[in-house]
Amino acid sequence: CYNLTGSPVCGPNVTSMYYTYIYCNKLTGSPVCGDKVTSMYNAYYNCRNLTGNPVCGNNVKDMGHTYHNCYNLTGNPVCGDNVTNMYNAYYNCRNLTGSPVCGNNVKDMRYTYSGCNKLTGSPVCGNNVTNMSSTYYNCSNLTGPGVCGHNVTNMYNAYRNCTNITSGEIGIKVTTAVNTFYNCINLKTVTVYANTPPRISNNTFKNCSKLIAIYVPNSNIDTYKSADNWSNYASIMQGF
């Protein structure tokens, strides 16, 4: 419905907004979501003329692609307590301000805030999250530590180009940390909780010229110092 105009609506008894306004790029006004809605998957995908604040109903579980490329939305991101999927939820919402949020039940944060370069405050990651691939890619105004939930296994590109974070962590279950802190030019310290060195690349700490310490489990420091690509940072490794 490329030529729909006006503001979006949602009736009080709607339970699914699955693909509701996808590519309705002439809609204006603020997004809406009824209290009975459980799925907002792709609800406002590419509705790039919507303004106002994003919304999420109390019963929503799926925010996959909900506001993908809605780059005129302002205000703070939201996430209901029942949400489990935030995959691409706010991808390229580059005028959102405030701090990122993550509900307690979220499991998938792939690309959630990628390109949201006006977000400030500290990154967040719930303890049920398993995938942080590109979660905060290009969130260049975030400050505070680059955190990682206890159940995360994938941190590919998680904080790439987050140029204002000064510390970060790689969680105990992480197996992939390729490009995680690429171009984090103010990064000074990283704490790695994984006992087995996660897979990293030559770019994981590329352009991190202020990096002075990588803390790894003391019992496995020798393993880290000899592991692929980790060995390049043996001189700044410290055990904890």
Side-chain angles (χ1 to χ4, degrees), residues 24-31 44-55 66-77 89-97 114-118:
C24 294
N25 55 26
K26 292 184 180 179
L27 286 179
T28 55
S30 299
Y44 294 105
Y45 187 103
N46 210 46
C47 291
R48 55 181 184 261
N49 281 308
L50 284 181
T51 55
N53 298 318
V55 293
T66 299
Y67 296 110
H68 185 118
N69 215 34
C70 293
Y71 51 70
N72 279 309
L73 287 179
T74 55
N76 298 315
Y90 294 105
Y91 182 92
N92 202 36
C93 291
R94 55 182 182 259
N95 283 304
L96 283 182
T97 54
S114 183
C116 297
N117 56 19
K118 291 185 179 178

Side-chain angles (χ1 to χ4, degrees), residues 191-240:
T191 302
V192 187
Y193 294 97
N195 289 310
T196 301
R199 182 170 66 93
I200 65 171
S201 67
N202 287 327
N203 292 326
T204 294
F205 301 110
K206 187 173 182 179
N207 296 336
C208 299
S209 58
K210 295 183 180 179
L211 186 63
I212 57 173
I214 297 176
Y215 301 103
V216 301
N218 192 56
S219 59
N220 292 298
I221 190 168
D222 291 335
T223 303
Y224 271 90
K225 285 183 175 182
S226 61
D228 286 347
N229 293 313
W230 289 102
S231 60
N232 297 329
Y233 305 95
S235 63
I236 61 170
M237 282 185 188
Q238 300 180 36
F240 70 92

Side-chain angles (χ1 to χ4, degrees), residues 56-60 63 78-84 102-106:
C56 176
N58 293 327
N59 291 304
V60 171
M63 286 187 75
V78 291
C79 176
D81 287 337
N82 291 306
V83 173
T84 60
C102 175
N104 293 327
N105 292 304
V106 172

